[in-house]
Amino acid sequence: MSSVNHKPSTAGIIVIGDEILKGQTIDTNSTFICQHLYTWGVQVKKISVVSDELEEIAKEVKEFSEKYTHVVTSGGVGPTHDDLTFEGVAKAFNEKTLPHPDLVQLIKQYFGTDDLLSPKMKMAYVPESAKLQYGESKISGKRTKYPMVSTHNVYMFPGIPSLLEGAFVLFEDIFRDPNVKFFSRRIFIDTDEITVSSILQDNFNKYKESVSLGSYPDLHNSYFKVKLILESQIEDKLNSACEELKSALPQGSVVKYDENPLIDANEKIHELLKSENGSEFAKKLEKSLHTIEKALERYSFDEICVGFNGGKDCTVLLHLVYAAVKRKYPSIDKKLKSLYIRSKLPFPEVEKFIQIARDRYNLNELMYYGRIKDCMGELKNQHPEIKAVFMGTRNTDPYSSHLEEFTMTDADWPQFMRVNPILEWSYDDIWKFLRGLCVSYCSLYDRGYTSLGSMNNTHPNPTLQYIDYRGIVCYKPAHQLQDNQLERDGRNV
Ligand SMILES: Cc1cc2nc3c(=O)[nH]c(=O)nc-3n(C[C@H](O)[C@H](O)[C@H](O)COP(=O)(O)OP(=O)(O)OC[C@H]3O[C@@H](n4cnc5c(N)ncnc54)[C@H](O)[C@@H]3O)c2cc1C
Ligand SMILES: NC(=O)C1=CN([C@@H]2O[C@H](COP(=O)(O)OP(=O)(O)OC[C@H]3O[C@@H](n4cnc5c(N)ncnc54)[C@H](O)[C@@H]3O)[C@@H](O)[C@H]2O)C=CC1
Ligand SMILES: [Co+2]
Ligand SMILES: [K+]
Ligand SMILES: [Mg+2]
């Protein structure tokens, strides 16, 4: 570990492509590059997005190349007329482009042409001084087929994210600065920035020689309002700054937050179980884990599906099943199936959350429209392999008091095993689990909704209503509901 403040090497990123400037493609490459350079101890100073114009590329490359230790470019290395990166970089250094013999050979191998005038051969024309560098796969140890082209301190990568990401990580040795390591700490607080701005200023002033401090508000997070990030190359200083800041912040404003409860989900659930040792909640949670385990023994991965409509109960369920599946099948590359039967008037907030959850939990969502019973028939036809549906039903739900952990659908319904791991959970149990693990849930629950149906029959729970200091009607979040019996007070049906 370095104890001196070694000056880090720097980098500039040039993202090349009209489609990004028109908003047609979201630039993910610069984020990817920044994340890696940061962990490699390189300070990214600037990201520039330029159009597919020769002059623009040349001008930016020249300036970046003089200013920064490394320049990384993304895009514009393909065979089409609008891909001008190699020419632009050559121009920045007053060079011509020439066909590189190795690239000519490669293109001949791939496309069967060695005609130097063929459009495919365009990719072989690189700056005169260009070097080709082959990465080595960390897994197979094999040399990659296609090289990265660089010249001076400029490294050129393709724009297609999968190609860029695959290639970039192979060149860690070029960029990594062995003398530099950035340490960082995060503090989450549930007060707004205004309240703490002078405290932040004081901390910043005191440590600015060695520690940087950033403040990042989030208007939509269920757990915190502001994320503070402290950073330094000197770990001791960082720790002092961090501890001092924590004690200077208003009492109780620092909250515990887990940015990704899906990482080690199973271990975290067991930690929660341990911390709740012996409680009623712990017993129910343990029973739920057993039910899920049993179901995963009885049914194969392909035979299961999670009923998920964005509600809080099935959010608990999904998280539990996800953790158990990850544990049982650690390296499975198939997606867990989920079932979403869309009601007539879904809340946009619910649909948005379903989409977020689908991406986060990597779900293969099977979506149907119409009456639940009809949809289950369609599911049966289209996915005859599915035998069991996990459900977030609780005994206190209407018509659910008779259900057991494993109950077949009624005789006049399409036949599926309904697996109900959280039948006995109370309203408070649901929130203890979600809030205890920082699982994200549909935003409506932070606005007074305690039970979700369709837009035409669901309202915020009147018990949670209050009038704020401006005289405006507001609602407390669902997890603050005192009386569990009143859960469905915002529902007309
Ligand atoms: C897979 C499945 C099987 C069913 N089998 C029967 C049956 O055999 N007999 C019968 O009378 N009724 C059955 N139903 C209907 C069920 O009993 C409820 O009437 C229905 O779930 C809506 O009630 P609720 O709003 O209280 O449910 P919620 O409390 O919202 O739902 C309970 C759980 O069901 C699942 N679920 C509910 N709605 C959806 C949806 N739109 N999309 C995906 N998953 C959803 C979720 O896992 C949810 O946690 C079934 C429903 C489903 C989804
Ligand atoms: N196999 C390999 O390693 C290499 C292949 N090629 C070939 O070159 C062509 C692609 O060259 P490119 O420079 O990628 O062409 P390009 O600049 O036209 O970009 C290709 C696509 O990548 C996406 N993209 C571009 N910039 C992005 C960004 N910043 N963030 C997110 N997405 C972005 C865009 O959707 C764009 O359509 C392909 O034909 C490929 O086969 C080129 C070099 C290396
Ligand atoms: Co050291
Ligand atoms: K192109
Ligand atoms: Mg392009």
Side-chain angles (χ1 to χ4, degrees):
M1 189 204 310
S2 75
S3 48
V4 283
N5 218 354
H6 183 94
K7 215 168 165 36
S9 53
T10 60
I13 300 169
I14 306 177
V15 175
I16 300 161
D18 290 350
E19 71 276 26
I20 291 145
L21 291 167
K22 290 176 187 156
Q24 293 155 347
T25 296
I26 296 175
D27 165 36
T28 55
N29 289 344
S30 62
T31 310
F32 182 89
I33 297 167
C34 286
Q35 285 166 344
H36 283 79
L37 289 178
Y38 178 75
T39 62
W40 297 340
V42 180
Q43 199 168 50
V44 175
K45 287 290 198 180
K46 196 167 183 175
I47 301 167
S48 172
V49 184
V50 301
S51 61
D52 291 308
E53 284 174 274
L54 193 60
E55 289 300 332
E56 291 291 332
I57 299 168
K59 192 174 123 248
E60 208 69 351
V61 169
K62 182 171 188 309
E63 188 185 325
F64 273 47
S65 169
E66 287 161 5
K67 268 193 177 155
Y68 310 120
T69 324
H70 312 289
V71 182
V72 179
T73 72
S74 142
V77 301
T80 53
H81 66 281
D82 54 354
D83 291 319
L84 298 168
T85 300
F86 295 143
E87 284 172 69
V89 173
K91 194 171 163 86
F93 298 111
N94 295 313
E95 292 178 20
K96 291 198 294 282
T97 56
L98 292 174
H100 192 293
D102 293 13
L103 287 171
V104 171
Q105 197 53 39
L106 257 175
I107 287 163
K108 182 177 174 190
Q109 218 176 308
Y110 278 114
F111 300 107
T113 173
D114 55 4
D115 173 6
L116 288 179
L117 298 174
S118 148
K120 287 164 194 135
M121 208 44 91
K122 185 170 171 290
M123 290 195 290
Y125 282 75
V126 294
E128 290 165 61
S129 64
K131 271 202 327 192
L132 304 188
Q133 303 194 56
Y134 292 85
E136 198 172 278
S137 161
K138 291 217 170 96
I139 302 156
S140 66
K142 271 201 206 138
R143 208 177 83 148
T144 54
K145 289 203 192 83
Y146 210 92
M148 185 259 293
V149 179
S150 71
T151 181
H152 302 80
N153 59 346
V154 182
Y155 303 87
M156 290 157 263
F157 289 88
I160 297 175
S162 57
L163 295 184
L164 177 132
E165 291 171 15
F168 191 71
V169 296
L170 303 179
F171 296 101
E172 177 174 340
D173 291 347
I174 297 179
F175 301 106
R176 181 186 278 286
D177 189 335
N179 296 310
V180 175
K181 184 163 166 48
F182 300 126
F183 298 96
S184 77
R185 301 268 186 281
R186 287 160 188 229
I187 300 175
F188 298 91
I189 57 175
D190 68 356
T191 44
D192 45 52
E193 283 190 305
I194 300 288
T195 319
V196 297
S197 55
S198 63
I199 298 167
L200 299 184
Q201 181 75 59
D202 290 347
N203 190 274
F204 171 77
N205 289 344
K206 178 162 178 194
Y207 287 98
K208 66 179 170 225
E209 297 308 324
S210 53
V211 182
S212 75
L213 171 60
S215 168
Y216 308 100
D218 186 331
L219 292 180
H220 305 289
N221 193 285
S222 304
Y223 297 92
F224 68 85
K225 292 206 177 84
V226 182
K227 168 161 72 179
L228 304 171
I229 304 185
L230 295 97
E231 236 152 40
S232 179
Q233 285 177 249
I234 308 167
E235 207 171 11
D236 293 348
K237 286 263 191 245
L238 179 67
N239 288 337
S240 319
C242 197
E243 288 318 308
E244 259 175 58
L245 180 55
K246 274 190 193 161
S247 50
L249 287 165
Q251 190 105 49
S253 65
V254 176
V255 291
K256 190 186 136 247
Y257 183 61
D258 179 354
E259 288 188 271
N260 194 348
L262 275 72
I263 295 176
D264 298 330
N266 186 54
E267 288 75 6
K268 287 170 185 169
I269 291 169
H270 279 86
E271 274 164 34
L272 179 68
L273 190 61
K274 233 175 157 183
S275 73
E276 289 285 330
N277 189 22
S279 72
E280 281 304 304
F281 170 71
K283 284 179 202 152
K284 291 183 220 173
L285 174 54
E286 195 151 27
K287 194 168 165 195
S288 305
L289 297 174
H290 278 294
T291 304
I292 294 171
E293 225 165 87
K294 244 189 283 173
L296 294 184
E297 272 161 32
R298 246 187 243 182
Y299 302 101
S300 73
F301 184 82
D302 293 323
E303 288 169 348
I304 58 167
C305 171
V306 182
F308 182 68
N309 63 357
K312 61 186 186 308
D313 303 337
C314 53
T315 302
V316 168
L317 172 83
L318 174 61
H319 196 76
L320 285 170
V321 174
Y322 173 86
V325 164
K326 271 268 146 170
R327 191 175 86 113
K328 190 168 167 84
Y329 306 103
S331 48
I332 199 155
D333 57 359
K334 281 187 278 190
K335 290 182 172 195
L336 178 62
K337 284 189 281 251
S338 66
L339 166 69
Y340 172 37
I341 298 168
R342 209 160 170 262
S343 68
K344 271 212 198 80
L345 268 179
F347 281 96
E349 290 88 345
V350 173
E351 297 245 284
K352 191 171 164 206
F353 175 65
I354 290 175
Q355 195 186 331
I356 292 170
R358 184 207 305 146
D359 295 343
R360 186 169 298 149
Y361 289 92
N362 196 24
L363 301 174
N364 171 12
E365 183 189 81
L366 312 173
M367 182 165 56
Y368 296 92
Y369 298 82
R371 286 179 50 216
I372 295 188
K373 196 172 177 178
D374 300 336
C375 293
M376 299 302 292
E378 275 181 63
L379 179 71
K380 187 109 242 163
N381 285 333
Q382 290 174 13
H383 290 276
E385 79 280 9
I386 297 177
K387 297 210 172 110
V389 184
F390 283 99
M391 296 175 69
T393 311
R394 288 159 43 215
N395 277 150
T396 48
D397 290 339
Y399 323 109
S400 301
S401 57
H402 67 288
L403 291 173
E404 292 173 23
E405 267 68 34
F406 290 85
T407 306
M408 284 303 286
T409 43
D410 292 334
D412 56 339
W413 277 62
Q415 292 296 287
F416 289 95
M417 178 58 82
R418 287 180 284 179
V419 185
N420 304 305
I422 61 167
L423 275 181
E424 292 166 30
W425 287 40
S426 69
Y427 182 84
D428 283 343
D429 294 334
I430 293 292
W431 288 113
K432 190 171 273 176
F433 182 86
L434 294 175
R435 303 273 316 171
L437 293 171
C438 301
V439 174
S440 52
Y441 51 80
C442 176
S443 63
L444 291 175
Y445 293 115
D446 287 333
R447 297 185 3 226
Y449 291 82
T450 50
S451 171
L452 295 177
S454 296
M455 280 212 335
N456 54 353
N457 62 24
T458 312
H459 308 281
N461 195 314
T463 344
L464 290 171
Q465 199 185 87
Y466 69 97
I467 311 289
D468 79 353
Y469 66 95
R470 299 160 300 180
I472 293 172
V473 175
C474 298
Y475 291 89
K476 286 188 262 182
H479 67 93
Q480 288 181 14
L481 184 74
Q482 297 292 332
D483 184 350
N484 278 219
Q485 306 299 320
L486 303 177
E487 173 177 355
R488 291 178 82 94
D489 271 23
R491 297 282 291 271
N492 300 344
V493 288

